[in-house]
């Protein structure tokens, strides 16, 4: 299964990707996580990405394509993968096609903007391993501490309310048109966000017939 997850920031792509990844035994590739790791390490890519990420803007397409090309060539991607947060623009999707990256399905998780705004205020991210939690819907066992690696939980700079609004604008303008792109290819599958994480996973399984 080579799957793309589409949806606004905070739609639950990362959370659902993690669940599907375990079930299908394929890796999740999140350009957001790769960029945050690069920023933390201060690599040339990280330094280039920083101003865009912190302002809620999209990182230039050529940087993203370089990351994806390198990552998908790794061994663990041979039997499939889940792309979380990429492609994010039509040119990225076109560039991926030109590279011969063929996907099976693009799954869009549909969520109202207001739900996203409310939800983002509760999101916490592990500073060390990038795993996300939610204060109400998916709390860590111990407050402020990552269940997986024991790292410190933090509010991502780009999860601050003003930046969330900017990211939603970018989503509607640049990323949402990808739904039409994949619909034309007969690959789009849509799922409405459900009140809980597990209910959304149930809908996704139905939609993907897995
Ligand atoms: P995410 O964790 O997917 O919400 O991504 C966080 C931020 O990383 C985004 O707001 C962008 O600044 C940047 N980013 C991640 N993936 C992409 C992409 N495919 N294209 C451009 N920018 C991206």
């Amino acid at each position: 299964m080579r799957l793309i997850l589409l949806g606004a920031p905070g739609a639950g792509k990362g959370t659902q990707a993690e669940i599907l990844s375990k079930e299908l035994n394929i890796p999740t590739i999140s350009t957001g996580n790769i960029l945050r790791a690069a920023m933390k390490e201060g690599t040339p890519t990280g330094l280039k990405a920083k101003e865009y990420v912190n302002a809620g803007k999209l990182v230039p397409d050529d940087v993203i394509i370089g990351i994806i090309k390198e990552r998908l060539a790794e061994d663990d991607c041979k039997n499939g993968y889940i792309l979380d947060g990429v492609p994010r623009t039509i040119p990225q999707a076109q560039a991926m096609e030109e590279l011969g990256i063929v996907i099976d399905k693009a799954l869009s998780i549909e969520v109202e903007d207001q739900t996203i705004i409310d939800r983002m205020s509760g999101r916490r991210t592990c500073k060390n391993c990038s795993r996300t939690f939610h204060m109400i819907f998916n709390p860590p066992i111990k407050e402020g501490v990552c269940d997986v690696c024991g790292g410190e939980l933090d509010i991502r700079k780009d999860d601050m309310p003003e930046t969330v609004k900017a990211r939603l604008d970018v989503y509607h303008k640049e990323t949402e048109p990808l739904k039409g792109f994949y619909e034309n290819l007969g690959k789009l599958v849509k799922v409405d966000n459900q009140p809980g994480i597990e209910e959304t996973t149930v809908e996704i399984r139905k939609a993907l017939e897995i």
Side-chain angles (χ1 to χ4, degrees):
M1 171 76 86
R2 286 154 303 182
L3 180 67
I4 290 174
L5 291 187
L6 292 174
K13 299 187 296 295
T15 305
Q16 296 297 336
E18 197 186 314
I19 296 168
L20 293 174
S21 208
K22 276 190 201 136
E23 280 188 17
L24 300 171
N25 202 18
I26 50 177
T28 294
I29 291 140
S30 153
T31 39
N33 283 351
I34 293 172
L35 290 169
R36 279 185 288 279
M39 283 160 56
K40 196 170 148 199
E41 282 167 31
T43 67
T45 301
L47 293 175
K48 222 191 263 180
K50 198 169 182 169
E51 57 175 309
Y52 298 98
V53 173
N54 286 345
K57 292 183 183 160
L58 293 183
V59 172
D61 290 335
D62 58 324
V63 177
I64 299 295
I65 295 306
I67 291 175
I68 276 298
K69 198 174 159 185
E70 211 173 280
R71 182 62 187 89
L72 294 187
E74 284 180 34
D75 254 13
D76 62 339
C77 294
K78 274 193 186 129
N79 296 326
Y81 41 77
I82 299 167
L83 297 180
D84 163 14
V86 67
R88 236 162 156 129
T89 63
I90 300 263
Q92 287 180 19
Q94 286 167 337
M96 282 169 51
E97 293 227 308
E98 279 157 27
L99 286 170
I101 300 168
V102 181
I103 63 119
D104 298 307
K105 280 177 184 158
L107 175 86
S108 170
I109 306 177
E110 309 272 317
V111 193
E112 297 283 328
D113 282 9
Q114 192 54 51
T115 309
I116 299 274
I117 293 166
D118 296 343
R119 197 189 270 181
M120 295 294 249
S121 61
R123 177 148 89 171
R124 299 291 180 272
T125 305
C126 176
K127 272 179 159 179
N128 183 47
C129 75
S130 296
R131 161 119 196 223
T132 55
F133 296 85
H134 191 282
M135 301 304 282
I136 297 161
F137 305 118
N138 182 25
I141 296 165
K142 193 171 165 206
E143 203 183 313
V145 180
C146 177
D147 290 355
V148 179
C149 74
E152 187 189 338
L153 300 183
D154 194 20
I155 302 179
R156 260 166 58 178
K157 255 203 191 103
D158 60 338
D159 279 349
M160 301 293 180
E162 319 74 57
T163 319
V164 169
K165 292 208 179 87
R167 290 167 70 200
L168 279 170
D169 287 346
V170 170
Y171 168 74
H172 291 303
K173 205 163 140 237
E174 308 272 356
T175 308
E176 214 166 11
L178 283 173
K179 288 199 260 177
F181 181 92
Y182 288 110
E183 191 159 34
N184 288 339
L185 295 173
K187 293 183 175 178
L188 183 72
V189 182
K190 285 190 201 169
V191 160
D192 283 328
N193 172 62
Q194 302 298 315
I197 293 169
E198 276 168 32
E199 291 108 296
T200 305
T201 311
V202 169
E203 291 304 308
I204 290 176
R205 281 200 206 100
K206 273 192 226 157
L208 295 177
E209 298 168 359
I210 52 170

PDB file of all heavy atoms in Angstrom, residues 31-32 35-36 52-53 56-59 64 85-88 92 156 158 167, ligand 1:
ATOM      1  N   THR A  31       7.088  14.654   6.137  1.00  0.00           N
ATOM      2  CA  THR A  31       8.070  15.694   5.812  1.00  0.00           C
ATOM      3  C   THR A  31       8.170  16.701   6.961  1.00  0.00           C
ATOM      4  O   THR A  31       9.238  17.242   7.217  1.00  0.00           O
ATOM      5  CB  THR A  31       7.716  16.396   4.484  1.00  0.00           C
ATOM      6  OG1 THR A  31       6.305  16.557   4.410  1.00  0.00           O
ATOM      7  CG2 THR A  31       8.215  15.615   3.298  1.00  0.00           C
ATOM      8  N   GLY A  32       7.056  16.917   7.677  1.00  0.00           N
ATOM      9  CA  GLY A  32       7.082  17.820   8.829  1.00  0.00           C
ATOM     10  C   GLY A  32       8.075  17.322   9.866  1.00  0.00           C
ATOM     11  O   GLY A  32       8.906  18.083  10.379  1.00  0.00           O
ATOM     12  N   LEU A  35      11.658  17.633   8.608  1.00  0.00           N
ATOM     13  CA  LEU A  35      12.116  19.035   8.659  1.00  0.00           C
ATOM     14  C   LEU A  35      12.414  19.472  10.089  1.00  0.00           C
ATOM     15  O   LEU A  35      13.419  20.138  10.347  1.00  0.00           O
ATOM     16  CB  LEU A  35      11.061  19.966   8.043  1.00  0.00           C
ATOM     17  CG  LEU A  35      10.888  19.866   6.525  1.00  0.00           C
ATOM     18  CD1 LEU A  35       9.640  20.626   6.077  1.00  0.00           C
ATOM     19  CD2 LEU A  35      12.115  20.419   5.796  1.00  0.00           C
ATOM     20  N   ARG A  36      11.542  19.055  11.035  1.00  0.00           N
ATOM     21  CA  ARG A  36      11.781  19.452  12.438  1.00  0.00           C
ATOM     22  C   ARG A  36      13.081  18.831  12.951  1.00  0.00           C
ATOM     23  O   ARG A  36      13.846  19.483  13.662  1.00  0.00           O
ATOM     24  CB  ARG A  36      10.586  19.060  13.321  1.00  0.00           C
ATOM     25  CG  ARG A  36       9.446  20.066  13.233  1.00  0.00           C
ATOM     26  CD  ARG A  36       8.323  19.747  14.197  1.00  0.00           C
ATOM     27  NE  ARG A  36       7.551  18.591  13.786  1.00  0.00           N
ATOM     28  CZ  ARG A  36       6.594  18.606  12.874  1.00  0.00           C
ATOM     29  NH1 ARG A  36       6.274  19.723  12.262  1.00  0.00           N
ATOM     30  NH2 ARG A  36       5.943  17.512  12.547  1.00  0.00           N
ATOM     31  N   TYR A  52      10.386  29.300   7.176  1.00  0.00           N
ATOM     32  CA  TYR A  52       9.092  28.944   6.592  1.00  0.00           C
ATOM     33  C   TYR A  52       8.237  28.201   7.616  1.00  0.00           C
ATOM     34  O   TYR A  52       7.080  28.521   7.829  1.00  0.00           O
ATOM     35  CB  TYR A  52       9.276  28.033   5.366  1.00  0.00           C
ATOM     36  CG  TYR A  52      10.035  28.674   4.237  1.00  0.00           C
ATOM     37  CD1 TYR A  52      11.404  28.444   4.063  1.00  0.00           C
ATOM     38  CD2 TYR A  52       9.381  29.509   3.322  1.00  0.00           C
ATOM     39  CE1 TYR A  52      12.100  29.024   3.022  1.00  0.00           C
ATOM     40  CE2 TYR A  52      10.075  30.082   2.274  1.00  0.00           C
ATOM     41  CZ  TYR A  52      11.442  29.847   2.129  1.00  0.00           C
ATOM     42  OH  TYR A  52      12.126  30.411   1.101  1.00  0.00           O
ATOM     43  N   VAL A  53       8.819  27.173   8.225  1.00  0.00           N
ATOM     44  CA  VAL A  53       8.071  26.334   9.165  1.00  0.00           C
ATOM     45  C   VAL A  53       7.539  27.174  10.323  1.00  0.00           C
ATOM     46  O   VAL A  53       6.357  27.108  10.671  1.00  0.00           O
ATOM     47  CB  VAL A  53       8.949  25.167   9.693  1.00  0.00           C
ATOM     48  CG1 VAL A  53       8.220  24.392  10.790  1.00  0.00           C
ATOM     49  CG2 VAL A  53       9.336  24.238   8.553  1.00  0.00           C
ATOM     50  N   GLY A  56       4.568  29.181   9.509  1.00  0.00           N
ATOM     51  CA  GLY A  56       3.391  28.459   9.006  1.00  0.00           C
ATOM     52  C   GLY A  56       3.310  28.463   7.492  1.00  0.00           C
ATOM     53  O   GLY A  56       2.265  28.194   6.913  1.00  0.00           O
ATOM     54  N   LYS A  57       4.440  28.796   6.832  1.00  0.00           N
ATOM     55  CA  LYS A  57       4.452  28.827   5.360  1.00  0.00           C
ATOM     56  C   LYS A  57       4.998  27.506   4.823  1.00  0.00           C
ATOM     57  O   LYS A  57       5.651  26.760   5.548  1.00  0.00           O
ATOM     58  CB  LYS A  57       5.353  29.961   4.876  1.00  0.00           C
ATOM     59  CG  LYS A  57       4.795  31.317   5.197  1.00  0.00           C
ATOM     60  CD  LYS A  57       5.704  32.375   4.630  1.00  0.00           C
ATOM     61  CE  LYS A  57       5.197  33.759   4.996  1.00  0.00           C
ATOM     62  NZ  LYS A  57       6.259  34.755   4.895  1.00  0.00           N
ATOM     63  N   LEU A  58       4.790  27.263   3.539  1.00  0.00           N
ATOM     64  CA  LEU A  58       5.314  26.035   2.954  1.00  0.00           C
ATOM     65  C   LEU A  58       6.782  26.201   2.596  1.00  0.00           C
ATOM     66  O   LEU A  58       7.207  27.239   2.093  1.00  0.00           O
ATOM     67  CB  LEU A  58       4.526  25.648   1.698  1.00  0.00           C
ATOM     68  CG  LEU A  58       3.073  25.221   1.906  1.00  0.00           C
ATOM     69  CD1 LEU A  58       2.444  24.799   0.579  1.00  0.00           C
ATOM     70  CD2 LEU A  58       2.966  24.090   2.918  1.00  0.00           C
ATOM     71  N   VAL A  59       7.533  25.150   2.855  1.00  0.00           N
ATOM     72  CA  VAL A  59       8.949  25.104   2.479  1.00  0.00           C
ATOM     73  C   VAL A  59       8.992  24.929   0.952  1.00  0.00           C
ATOM     74  O   VAL A  59       8.132  24.246   0.384  1.00  0.00           O
ATOM     75  CB  VAL A  59       9.608  23.908   3.218  1.00  0.00           C
ATOM     76  CG1 VAL A  59      11.011  23.652   2.744  1.00  0.00           C
ATOM     77  CG2 VAL A  59       9.573  24.154   4.724  1.00  0.00           C
ATOM     78  N   ILE A  64      11.547  19.937  -0.605  1.00  0.00           N
ATOM     79  CA  ILE A  64      10.679  18.802  -0.247  1.00  0.00           C
ATOM     80  C   ILE A  64      10.923  17.625  -1.187  1.00  0.00           C
ATOM     81  O   ILE A  64      11.039  16.473  -0.749  1.00  0.00           O
ATOM     82  CB  ILE A  64       9.184  19.242  -0.305  1.00  0.00           C
ATOM     83  CG1 ILE A  64       8.930  20.374   0.701  1.00  0.00           C
ATOM     84  CG2 ILE A  64       8.259  18.052  -0.083  1.00  0.00           C
ATOM     85  CD1 ILE A  64       9.093  20.013   2.148  1.00  0.00           C
ATOM     86  N   GLY A  85       1.586  14.475   5.005  1.00  0.00           N
ATOM     87  CA  GLY A  85       1.944  15.896   4.810  1.00  0.00           C
ATOM     88  C   GLY A  85       2.727  16.166   3.538  1.00  0.00           C
ATOM     89  O   GLY A  85       3.292  17.249   3.386  1.00  0.00           O
ATOM     90  N   VAL A  86       2.742  15.222   2.655  1.00  0.00           N
ATOM     91  CA  VAL A  86       3.413  15.414   1.374  1.00  0.00           C
ATOM     92  C   VAL A  86       2.747  14.502   0.333  1.00  0.00           C
ATOM     93  O   VAL A  86       2.431  13.361   0.685  1.00  0.00           O
ATOM     94  CB  VAL A  86       4.934  15.137   1.478  1.00  0.00           C
ATOM     95  CG1 VAL A  86       5.262  13.675   1.758  1.00  0.00           C
ATOM     96  CG2 VAL A  86       5.665  15.632   0.237  1.00  0.00           C
ATOM     97  N   PRO A  87       2.439  14.946  -0.877  1.00  0.00           N
ATOM     98  CA  PRO A  87       2.647  16.289  -1.403  1.00  0.00           C
ATOM     99  C   PRO A  87       1.687  17.296  -0.774  1.00  0.00           C
ATOM    100  O   PRO A  87       0.641  16.940  -0.265  1.00  0.00           O
ATOM    101  CB  PRO A  87       2.348  16.120  -2.902  1.00  0.00           C
ATOM    102  CG  PRO A  87       1.365  14.988  -2.966  1.00  0.00           C
ATOM    103  CD  PRO A  87       1.760  14.062  -1.861  1.00  0.00           C
ATOM    104  N   ARG A  88       2.092  18.554  -0.845  1.00  0.00           N
ATOM    105  CA  ARG A  88       1.290  19.623  -0.267  1.00  0.00           C
ATOM    106  C   ARG A  88       0.928  20.661  -1.315  1.00  0.00           C
ATOM    107  O   ARG A  88       0.202  21.614  -1.014  1.00  0.00           O
ATOM    108  CB  ARG A  88       2.083  20.296   0.827  1.00  0.00           C
ATOM    109  CG  ARG A  88       1.269  20.258   2.158  1.00  0.00           C
ATOM    110  CD  ARG A  88       1.932  20.459   3.226  1.00  0.00           C
ATOM    111  NE  ARG A  88       1.641  20.913   4.497  1.00  0.00           N
ATOM    112  CZ  ARG A  88       2.006  20.253   5.573  1.00  0.00           C
ATOM    113  NH1 ARG A  88       2.566  19.079   5.492  1.00  0.00           N
ATOM    114  NH2 ARG A  88       1.807  20.775   6.750  1.00  0.00           N
ATOM    115  N   GLN A  92       4.378  19.692  -6.313  1.00  0.00           N
ATOM    116  CA  GLN A  92       5.017  18.555  -5.616  1.00  0.00           C
ATOM    117  C   GLN A  92       4.446  17.232  -6.127  1.00  0.00           C
ATOM    118  O   GLN A  92       5.177  16.260  -6.348  1.00  0.00           O
ATOM    119  CB  GLN A  92       4.806  18.644  -4.099  1.00  0.00           C
ATOM    120  CG  GLN A  92       5.632  19.714  -3.420  1.00  0.00           C
ATOM    121  CD  GLN A  92       5.398  19.764  -1.907  1.00  0.00           C
ATOM    122  OE1 GLN A  92       4.908  18.824  -1.292  1.00  0.00           O
ATOM    123  NE2 GLN A  92       5.761  20.880  -1.306  1.00  0.00           N
ATOM    124  N   ARG A 156       4.298  23.004  19.774  1.00  0.00           N
ATOM    125  CA  ARG A 156       5.090  23.380  18.596  1.00  0.00           C
ATOM    126  C   ARG A 156       4.895  24.861  18.311  1.00  0.00           C
ATOM    127  O   ARG A 156       3.786  25.370  18.414  1.00  0.00           O
ATOM    128  CB  ARG A 156       4.581  22.587  17.384  1.00  0.00           C
ATOM    129  CG  ARG A 156       5.420  21.400  17.040  1.00  0.00           C
ATOM    130  CD  ARG A 156       4.711  20.483  16.088  1.00  0.00           C
ATOM    131  NE  ARG A 156       4.318  21.122  14.834  1.00  0.00           N
ATOM    132  CZ  ARG A 156       3.718  20.478  13.841  1.00  0.00           C
ATOM    133  NH1 ARG A 156       3.440  19.196  13.950  1.00  0.00           N
ATOM    134  NH2 ARG A 156       3.397  21.098  12.739  1.00  0.00           N
ATOM    135  N   ASP A 158       4.686  26.381  15.613  1.00  0.00           N
ATOM    136  CA  ASP A 158       3.691  26.641  14.568  1.00  0.00           C
ATOM    137  C   ASP A 158       2.295  26.147  14.947  1.00  0.00           C
ATOM    138  O   ASP A 158       1.387  26.177  14.132  1.00  0.00           O
ATOM    139  CB  ASP A 158       4.157  26.091  13.213  1.00  0.00           C
ATOM    140  CG  ASP A 158       4.399  24.604  13.201  1.00  0.00           C
ATOM    141  OD1 ASP A 158       4.622  24.018  14.281  1.00  0.00           O
ATOM    142  OD2 ASP A 158       4.356  24.015  12.110  1.00  0.00           O
ATOM    143  N   ARG A 167      -1.636  28.646   8.598  1.00  0.00           N
ATOM    144  CA  ARG A 167      -1.469  27.309   8.008  1.00  0.00           C
ATOM    145  C   ARG A 167      -2.766  26.823   7.370  1.00  0.00           C
ATOM    146  O   ARG A 167      -2.747  26.146   6.340  1.00  0.00           O
ATOM    147  CB  ARG A 167      -0.991  26.321   9.077  1.00  0.00           C
ATOM    148  CG  ARG A 167       0.444  26.594   9.500  1.00  0.00           C
ATOM    149  CD  ARG A 167       0.817  25.842  10.753  1.00  0.00           C
ATOM    150  NE  ARG A 167       0.925  24.428  10.537  1.00  0.00           N
ATOM    151  CZ  ARG A 167       0.852  23.517  11.510  1.00  0.00           C
ATOM    152  NH1 ARG A 167       0.658  23.906  12.762  1.00  0.00           N
ATOM    153  NH2 ARG A 167       0.972  22.255  11.239  1.00  0.00           N
TER     154      ARG A 167
HETATM  155  P1  LIG B   1       3.384  19.230   9.421  1.00  0.00           P
HETATM  156  O1  LIG B   1       4.086  18.592  10.549  1.00  0.00           O
HETATM  157  O2  LIG B   1       3.065  18.257   8.295  1.00  0.00           O
HETATM  158  O3  LIG B   1       2.178  20.020   9.832  1.00  0.00           O
HETATM  159  O4  LIG B   1       4.420  20.282   8.779  1.00  0.00           O
HETATM  160  C1  LIG B   1       4.912  21.373   9.511  1.00  0.00           C
HETATM  161  C2  LIG B   1       5.481  22.423   8.589  1.00  0.00           C
HETATM  162  O5  LIG B   1       6.556  21.857   7.816  1.00  0.00           O
HETATM  163  C3  LIG B   1       4.516  22.974   7.550  1.00  0.00           C
HETATM  164  O6  LIG B   1       3.709  24.020   8.066  1.00  0.00           O
HETATM  165  C4  LIG B   1       5.500  23.471   6.486  1.00  0.00           C
HETATM  166  O7  LIG B   1       6.134  24.670   6.894  1.00  0.00           O
HETATM  167  C5  LIG B   1       6.552  22.377   6.491  1.00  0.00           C
HETATM  168  N1  LIG B   1       6.214  21.266   5.555  1.00  0.00           N
HETATM  169  C6  LIG B   1       5.979  19.968   5.874  1.00  0.00           C
HETATM  170  N2  LIG B   1       5.717  19.237   4.786  1.00  0.00           N
HETATM  171  C7  LIG B   1       5.780  20.085   3.737  1.00  0.00           C
HETATM  172  C8  LIG B   1       5.581  19.956   2.331  1.00  0.00           C
HETATM  173  N3  LIG B   1       5.266  18.783   1.778  1.00  0.00           N
HETATM  174  N4  LIG B   1       5.739  21.077   1.564  1.00  0.00           N
HETATM  175  C9  LIG B   1       6.077  22.260   2.093  1.00  0.00           C
HETATM  176  N5  LIG B   1       6.251  22.464   3.402  1.00  0.00           N
HETATM  177  C10 LIG B   1       6.114  21.394   4.230  1.00  0.00           C
END
